[in-house]
Amino acid sequence: MTTAEQHTAESPESSESPGSSIAFTATLVLLVGAALFGRRVFAGWFTDDGIRTWATMFVGVTVQALPFLVLGVLLSAALTAFVPASFFAKALPKHPALAVPVASASGVVLPGCECASVPVSAALMNRGVTPAAAIAFLLSAPAINPVVLASTAVAFPGQPKVVVARAVTSLAVSMILGWLWLLTGKGGSWLKMPKNRHAHDDPKFDVFRSAMLHDFLHAGGFLVVGAAAAATLNVVVPRAWLDHVAGNLLLSVVILGLLAVLLAICSEADAFVAASLTQFSLTARLAFMVVGPIVDVKLIALQTGTFGPKFAVRFAPATFVVAILASLLVGWWLF
């Protein structure tokens, strides 16, 4: 269900071009080179302690996150190519209220990035799945799948509560938003039902390759931006200001939530960025990890193009508020 319909939902004309293959290779070489030689190169160019600290943090975040990013891309592409499009539409309960938690829970066992969740949710709606369940999956799949939880455990060693808190909070947010959809009249007046554009005849290996190229190019770029932003935040922003913000629980949670919206880091890698923000409490960093996979700038753009602007302007703020409140509640409970 995770990406079983993302790239098959694209028309044949949208297949990856040779230029995309070149870009994929160049991006991979850049990331691997940064991971292996970045610190040495940066240390040779700069002598200022602040710049060297920035380079160390940037390379450290990138090299830690890269294996999980690649694993997530490969698993996501495999599901795109080989899982039948109608599988989960048939598996979900017919009753909308019951379909919501089942759709949310399915994200626990299936990998997929947030970029994939929007077209997959659209494809589910096209196959008769209630929009509430499709929305619940849209929110849960990129936030609580095995790759994300494993990367969180590695980023926060010896802190299993962080993994539990992320899973519980993200699962709760997805179910709450799904049920809210049902309680508020199902949004029929402002949800633009997506068109079905599936190409069923593409060879499975071509679908796998296209999905892998697409996800890696998008996620890899955002990982680099996120790692650079995290390093910059730790080096450039005055320590006194960070301490002031971090000392206020509510303010720090909101600030890191907004930072997650702007950075738009892939969910397979965001835990390493969160772990580097050591000035902030675990609750604030939990909000960063919960908000990022379900509402950020690229997701808002994808949702606008898929479901219409009326949907996006309502759904994104509601998701942000619920995620912040849930993070505060779970953080108070576990931390």
Side-chain angles (χ1 to χ4, degrees):
M1 178 175 174
T2 304
T3 51
E5 290 135 341
Q6 175 192 5
H7 298 284
T8 53
E10 298 176 355
S11 60
E13 292 79 12
S14 64
S15 298
E16 300 292 338
S17 64
S20 294
S21 299
I22 296 173
F24 171 81
T25 304
T27 305
L28 181 60
V29 170
L30 176 63
L31 287 175
V32 173
L36 295 176
F37 308 110
R39 183 175 181 178
R40 185 181 306 170
V41 171
F42 280 124
W45 287 358
F46 304 106
T47 57
D48 182 77
D49 289 341
I51 297 298
R52 295 174 71 176
T53 301
W54 183 95
T56 300
M57 290 193 64
F58 169 77
V59 174
V61 171
T62 302
V63 72
Q64 281 187 301
L66 185 59
F68 293 96
L69 179 64
V70 173
L71 177 60
V73 167
L74 290 175
L75 291 176
S76 178
L79 287 170
T80 298
F82 304 116
V83 175
S86 60
F87 176 79
F88 284 96
K90 296 177 180 178
L92 289 174
K94 299 300 182 183
H95 195 288
L98 297 177
V100 167
V102 173
S104 296
S106 67
V108 176
V109 296
L110 293 175
C113 72
E114 54 269 31
C115 297
S117 64
V118 174
V120 172
S121 298
L124 289 173
M125 293 182 193
N126 282 324
R127 282 158 173 75
V129 173
T130 176
I135 286 171
F137 170 75
L138 182 151
L139 298 174
S140 70
I144 59 174
N145 69 67
V147 178
V148 170
L149 297 182
S151 69
T152 305
V154 173
F156 291 89
Q159 296 178 286
K161 283 187 177 181
V162 177
V163 181
V164 174
R166 180 172 195 176
V168 169
T169 310
S170 299
L171 186 64
V173 170
S174 68
M175 289 191 291
I176 290 170
L177 266 296
W179 283 326
L180 281 177
W181 181 273
L182 294 175
L183 293 175
T184 55
K186 305 179 183 179
S189 61
W190 40 268
L191 172 65
K192 182 187 75 174
M193 291 299 292
K195 296 180 180 179
N196 193 344
R197 300 175 298 164
H198 292 267
H200 299 284
D201 300 328
D202 289 349
K204 292 185 181 298
F205 182 79
D206 288 348
V207 174
F208 174 84
R209 174 180 167 278
S210 176
M212 183 178 63
L213 291 176
H214 179 277
D215 287 351
F216 186 85
L217 287 173
H218 281 73
F222 283 113
L223 169 60
V224 171
V225 172
T232 302
L233 181 66
N234 278 276
V235 173
V236 174
V237 178
R239 175 71 59 173
W241 188 88
L242 284 178
D243 291 341
H244 174 72
V245 173
N248 186 311
L249 178 61
L250 180 60
L251 180 60
S252 64
V253 167
V254 173
I255 289 294
L256 285 196
L258 292 173
L259 185 65
V261 173
L262 295 175
L263 293 185
I265 307 170
C266 180
S267 59
E268 282 92 355
D270 62 359
F272 297 98
V273 176
S276 71
L277 302 173
T278 54
Q279 301 90 341
F280 294 89
S281 66
L282 284 177
T283 300
R285 288 183 278 175
L286 172 64
F288 180 88
M289 293 185 289
V290 170
V291 170
I294 59 178
V295 53
D296 60 33
V297 288
K298 69 178 184 297
L299 280 175
I300 293 172
L302 284 169
Q303 292 166 5
T304 300
T306 305
F307 302 116
K310 291 183 179 180
F311 173 87
V313 298
R314 292 167 172 82
F315 186 70
T319 303
F320 181 83
V321 171
V322 172
I324 292 296
L325 294 177
S327 299
L328 285 168
L329 181 60
V330 174
W332 169 80
W333 171 45
L334 288 177
F335 303 142

